[in-house]
Amino acid sequence: MSDCLFCRIVAGDVPATVVRESPRTLAFRDIAPQAPTHVLVVPKEHYDDLAALTAADLDLAAELVRDAHRVAVAEGIASSGYRVVVNTGPDAGQTVPHVHLHVLGGRALGRLG
Ligand code: AMP
């Protein structure tokens, strides 16, 4: 989708700090980090949200989870702990309609809610 921000990052048309790449996924630093480590893991193929992704390709969903953990290992936060968040839809505050996993860590993140 040419008007999708994360599709444009995947295509290399919008700059991003890429930390990991696999044939079907890309991980890059969030432009407005909420923690010392804040990386987004996205599928290269466009899916609007988690509902669309899981309906279409559970293997790809698993690859994204695997890569989120691999990012945490590479960032040195796997032992101290990290959080993986997928905002889906308006109540969750999803702002970019291309499914993405937030990998957050590097400080105590506090309880959810
Ligand atoms: P969400 O609110 O869950 O849809 O998350 C979207 C995330 O994308 C936010 O944390 C933004 O800071 C991040 N973001 C927006 N534009 C860019 C960009 N050009 N490069 C990296 N991250 C971005």
Side-chain angles (χ1 to χ4, degrees):
M1 288 177 49
S2 59
D3 60 342
C4 167
L5 173 60
F6 289 173
C7 284
R8 295 180 68 206
I9 287 176
V10 167
D13 295 337
V14 170
T17 304
V18 172
V19 298
R20 176 174 191 85
E21 182 167 14
S22 78
R24 301 182 77 197
T25 69
L26 190 72
F28 52 90
R29 297 200 187 281
D30 196 290
I31 204 169
Q34 303 299 306
T37 291
H38 189 172
V39 171
L40 303 175
V41 185
V42 308
K44 291 181 175 177
E45 192 174 347
H46 182 92
Y47 294 99
D48 280 353
D49 56 22
L50 194 61
L53 172 65
T54 55
D57 195 335
L58 278 178
D59 288 342
L60 182 54
E63 284 188 41
L64 292 168
V65 174
R66 177 202 63 192
D67 285 0
H69 177 66
R70 288 180 175 172
V71 165
V73 170
E75 294 286 315
I77 59 171
S79 300
S80 53
Y82 63 95
R83 182 172 288 159
V84 177
V85 174
V86 186
N87 293 320
T88 302
D91 276 2
Q94 183 180 2
T95 58
V96 178
H98 179 131
V99 65
H100 49 282
L101 280 62
H102 296 255
V103 181
L104 297 145
R107 65 168 170 82
L109 296 167
R111 295 182 64 82
L112 285 176

